[in-house]
Amino acid sequence: MVKETIDSSIPTTRRCLIVGNYCHDVLIKDDVVIAESLGGAASFVSAVLDSLSISSDYISKVGTDFVYTVNHRPITSASSKTTVFHAYFSTETKRQDRILKRVSACDPVTPSDLPNSNFDFGLAVGVGGEILPETLERMIDLCKVVFVDIQALIRVFDPVDGTVNLVHLDQTGFGPLLKKIGFLKASAEEAQYVDVEEARKWCCVVVTNGKEGCTVYTKDEELPVAPFSAFQVDPTGAGDSFLGGLVAGLVHGLNVPDAALLGNFFGSLTVGQIGLPMFDSRLVQRVKDEVLKRRLQCSGSHEKQEDGPKRLKPSDHEEFQAALNAAKMVPAHSIKECKWDLHSSPGALEQPIHNGQRILLLNPVCEEPISSVDSEP
């Protein structure tokens, strides 16, 4: 069951265990391939956690065909290829959701793949069926608090063309484990496939809703957390970046609502770029400074509440939001400018760039935003 408060005296060197495969993502707009990128929840989560200096272990699997260089080496499977997703977009309607298809799937992560170590936080962030019930159960044994992205549990794939669909959590083998995890994250669409009112009795449920921000549900309270403005180009990985920001906030000693606000912040940065986001170093340093300031502010102003009801929302929560908004404006290289840097070189439209940080743009159409939902492959 979730601990509703996180001790702000916990050092920032706490370790996380991230379980979820790396992928090859292909973005297709109006039947034209516009980009190929490193994908998978682990890549987006690591982009956030690494930038905020969160020490973590990553357990991911890829095939021998994996083409990207990553900071955290995956397990190479000789028996299967790397998981590949095709994301289809269309401009035929004013707002068109993505159609997501799994083209190939790497081997799942098994309990024996996990390290024989204990961790403060565990993140189950599967995207292509790689999280097994027994693997999640092993994570629960190893980690003090486990965060689960519900897409890892409820996704099913059409046996013919790989189209991604969702089933209710009760139809999976993960239902009994719900009482043992700390946090369950779901998009607004995915939340329809779980009984939120029941789930919140056992764990903290966080439902993301794109430009509307997110809502935190505990056993006794429900709190909307404000969004950040964003120019949406590609929604891929926004939920993963949100989860990375949420966990990073908790590791750095923030309370749950402030950590969720940090998650919204990184989600807003991610949708402004195609594929794996690149965070400006000056922006990240400003965020670190604001997080430290917020942590010290909260630890120095705790009020005794033994005689009254405990409130989820902390004091001066809006001030922290304003500080993050200000941080977003600081770097000389704005998020929009970073987006253009992806194809600023004449050869960038012709040569693949497989280094885990950049992508191949096959058609310079990113000047038009792609409208879609906030779920992620």
Side-chain angles (χ1 to χ4, degrees):
M1 189 170 179
V2 62
K3 300 179 179 67
E4 294 185 3
T5 59
I6 304 295
D7 185 357
S8 61
S9 66
I10 294 174
T12 59
T13 54
R14 302 179 68 182
R15 292 194 306 166
C16 300
L17 174 65
I18 320 298
V19 179
N21 287 350
Y22 291 114
C23 306
H24 291 166
D25 282 353
V26 181
L27 278 63
I28 303 169
K29 183 178 180 182
D30 295 332
D31 298 324
V32 176
V33 175
I34 61 171
E36 297 178 10
S37 175
L38 170 65
S43 62
F44 287 90
V45 169
S46 67
V48 176
L49 296 188
D50 289 350
S51 69
L52 294 178
S53 306
I54 306 297
S55 175
S56 306
D57 287 3
Y58 290 77
I59 305 299
S60 300
K61 286 186 176 180
V62 298
T64 55
D65 60 334
F66 187 62
V67 296
Y68 296 97
T69 299
V70 293
N71 292 334
H72 308 280
R73 183 178 304 212
I75 300 169
T76 301
S77 171
S79 61
S80 63
K81 293 184 177 181
T82 301
T83 300
V84 176
F85 278 97
H86 286 183
Y88 294 85
F89 300 88
S90 173
T91 55
E92 292 181 357
T93 60
K94 185 176 180 180
R95 177 178 175 84
Q96 178 67 41
D97 293 346
R98 294 179 305 168
I99 297 176
L100 195 62
K101 297 184 178 182
R102 187 185 69 176
V103 178
S104 64
C106 195
D107 293 333
V109 178
T110 66
S112 62
D113 293 321
L114 303 184
N116 189 23
S117 305
N118 293 320
F119 297 85
D120 294 295
F121 295 126
L123 283 73
V125 288
V127 295
E130 67 269 36
I131 303 293
L132 305 173
E134 55 266 33
T135 303
L136 178 56
E137 189 162 21
R138 178 59 178 160
M139 290 183 66
I140 293 170
D141 291 338
L142 296 175
C143 306
K144 293 180 181 178
V145 181
V146 173
F147 296 71
V148 177
D149 191 331
I150 198 172
Q151 70 176 8
L153 315 184
I154 64 173
R155 277 186 170 181
V156 293
F157 308 92
D158 187 282
V160 177
D161 65 1
T163 299
V164 177
N165 294 296
L166 305 176
V167 298
H168 199 279
L169 184 63
D170 291 342
Q171 296 177 261
T172 72
F174 293 96
L177 298 176
L178 192 62
K179 297 180 180 181
K180 300 180 180 181
I181 68 172
F183 289 77
L184 183 69
K185 176 262 173 188
S187 68
E189 178 189 8
E190 293 162 346
Q192 302 175 48
Y193 295 86
V194 62
D195 186 342
V196 173
E197 290 303 312
E198 181 65 23
R200 68 190 291 189
K201 296 177 183 178
W202 309 104
C203 64
C204 180
V205 180
V206 184
V207 178
T208 60
N209 195 19
K211 64 181 181 180
E212 302 300 324
C214 70
T215 304
V216 177
Y217 298 88
T218 65
K219 182 178 180 180
D220 301 314
E221 292 194 87
E222 173 181 335
L223 176 70
V225 179
F228 292 86
S229 61
F231 179 81
Q232 180 168 288
V233 176
D234 175 16
T236 305
D240 304 319
S241 293
F242 167 85
L243 189 56
L246 171 69
V247 172
L250 295 178
V251 171
H252 279 294
L254 299 184
N255 49 56
V256 173
D258 284 346
L261 191 65
L262 190 63
N264 284 347
F265 178 82
F266 278 99
S268 73
L269 296 181
T270 297
V271 300
Q273 305 181 52
I274 294 180
L276 193 66
M278 293 179 287
F279 303 125
D280 187 283
S281 60
R282 286 155 292 186
L283 178 148
V284 170
Q285 186 56 55
R286 180 67 180 270
V287 170
K288 287 181 178 179
D289 293 343
E290 295 297 342
V291 168
L292 176 60
K293 184 187 303 182
R294 179 61 177 161
R295 174 186 173 185
L296 294 176
Q297 177 186 5
C298 291
S299 63
S301 62
H302 284 315
E303 298 179 359
K304 293 183 179 181
Q305 297 182 344
E306 289 84 351
D307 298 328
K310 180 178 180 179
R311 296 199 56 79
L312 180 62
K313 188 174 182 179
S315 62
D316 302 325
H317 178 75
E318 290 79 7
E319 290 185 14
F320 184 48
Q321 179 189 2
L324 291 178
N325 261 321
K328 201 172 182 180
M329 300 297 105
V330 168
H333 295 294
S334 69
I335 296 304
K336 187 173 182 180
E337 288 167 340
C338 288
K339 176 187 64 176
W340 292 113
D341 285 344
L342 291 174
H343 57 73
S344 59
S345 170
L349 295 178
E350 302 172 1
Q351 300 295 327
I353 306 174
H354 297 308
N355 64 1
Q357 294 296 321
R358 294 182 182 271
I359 61 177
L360 166 63
L361 291 181
L362 300 182
N363 192 20
V365 298
C366 64
E367 54 192 283
E368 298 180 9
I370 300 173
S371 295
S372 183
V373 294
D374 66 331
S375 57
E376 66 284 334

